[in-house]
Amino acid sequence: MESPRTEDDQARFRSVVLPHLADAYTLARWLTGNRTDAEDVVQEACLRAFRGIGGFAGVNARAWLLTIVRNAAFSWMGKNRPAALVMVDDLEAVEQRQVGDGWQDAGPQTPEAALIAKADAAQLERAIAELPAPFRETLVLRDVAGLDYREIAEATKVPIGTVMSRLARARQRLIAKIGTNEPGTSKPETSKPEMSKPQTSKPQTSKPQTSKPQTSKP
Amino acid sequence: MTTPTDPDDPSLLVHAYLDGELDPVHALEVERQLDASPALASERDRIEALRGAIRDRLPRETPSPELVRRVEAAIGLAPVPSRSVARAASQPSWRALAASVLLAAIVGSLATWFALHPGPGETTADLMVGNHLRALMAPQPFDVASSDRHTVKPWFNGRIPEAPRVVDLASEGFPLVGGRIDVIGRDPVPTLVYRHRQHLISLTAVPAQALAPLAGGAGAIAGFNTLTWTDNGVAYWAVSDTAAADLAAFEKAFREAGP
């Protein structure tokens, strides 16, 4: 029997994983969108964490567990809701093209900071839920779970530069949305059309995809 | 005024700057840009407002006990469900339930009664000491910091019906350091803060008729000395951890000071 090892692992699991269960659950809820699914994901993630606990290097338990939760959520979504997963490559193209214009385009319509500060929980939740998955997960890992950029890059397996641009894009969308949406009137997913736009050229070099010619330089 | 990265989107670095992800050199650069560009500065304000709203408004999720049980069961930890079943089976549950409900009701109402009807021991002095304690725990023991009575007295005007008499006793060894509003019952009352060596003295002034008739005199509560006296229809309460003799000297100085 391998019971001594199992007991060891259980003790480790208790001290490494259980303290962060609330964070794991919060992340899972944001990624899946509801509590029931989040519970399934957390249970699956905890199983994975338990199996892999021997390999945990003991540096940052929280980031380690959240990475597992994130991956578990992804395979869960792939199995149960494949439609919800956006093709990341397409999204990346859209995002690269838009990040540059976002803060300037918003211009005069962008709400005042005071308006944003007054946003209520329901408004925030709705706006975050409407974000495309990669944006949402980056934002939640940073602003809700409090991971730093490097940890997010490792958890989501993208370069830090991508983390930065996703985060900026996610926040810009929230800012635009919260300022323009009256509480209670949410429009269904305005970003869908953008995401399915065909990718016509390499994003890094082609900026003026949008109708507005971009001339301003800082 | 160029950044080494992302000339197309300076706001990208503002995010990283606010998240504390920039090294000092880049942070300095961003700060310079923020100073130079109002558009960028207001973008920074919006981002900060958003981060604040997410941090403060979004409810924290708590995993249900059911989930915790499922997780523990999944890895073979603590078979909680079976244990609770065993415990439940060993007792006549409805009787225990009824008894505990009754007990809880009794304990709860007694506690409420005691809380709302403080015994005779719960005096105004206790409330004064509580206010003093609270003030010591706050970042600063006063709302207005000034050793100038011409600053402190007007500060009270407009905040409470009647500004207290404010005198500076620096020459007697009790310099005025400020004032604050305390609450007794539900009434805001003015409190002056004096210093004596390293000790703070809270002096609360209440119209005498507003309180129960005063026994007057000195006392000690929880390590603090209290001293109370009435003068010109105003009841004064002094609370401090300074020696009782010093408090008495303080009272004398306060009474004798010119207007």
Side-chain angles (χ1 to χ4, degrees), chain B residues 41 48 55 70 77 84 107 115 141 143 145 155 169 173 194 200 204 210 216 218 223-224 235 240-241 252:
Chain B
E48 274 193 320
R55 190 184 54 233
R70 269 171 65 186
L77 253 180
S84 72
V107 169
D143 299 331
W155 182 85
L169 304 171
Y194 290 88
L200 287 177
T204 306
F224 291 94
S240 179
D241 54 354
K252 185 162 174 291

Side-chain angles (χ1 to χ4, degrees), chain A residues 164-176:
Chain A
M164 286 173 70
S165 61
R166 283 181 181 178
L167 186 60
R169 194 70 196 127
R171 284 174 177 164
Q172 281 162 359
R173 283 185 185 224
L174 291 185
I175 286 171

Side-chain angles (χ1 to χ4, degrees), chain A residues 10 13-14 23 26 29 35 39-40 43 99 103 110-111 113 117 119 124 142 148-149 167-168 171-172 207 218, chain B residues 7-12 15-16 19 21 45-46 49-51 53 57 60-64 70 75-77:
Chain A
Q10 284 173 342
F13 183 89
R14 229 188 244 288
D23 288 324
T26 303
R29 193 180 90 63
R35 295 192 166 77
E39 295 201 343
D40 288 347
Q43 185 177 354
V99 156
W103 74 282
T110 320
L124 275 172
R142 169 64 227 167
D148 65 30
Y149 287 11
L167 186 60
R171 284 174 177 164
Q172 281 162 359
K207 268 168 294 171
Chain B
D8 289 335
D9 186 13
S11 83
L12 208 59
H15 289 272
D19 285 328
E21 296 273 355
D45 294 343
R46 287 188 287 267
L50 177 70
R51 293 170 74 229
R57 299 285 157 69
R60 288 279 301 155
E61 296 286 342
T62 16
S64 62
R70 269 171 65 186
I75 65 155
L77 253 180

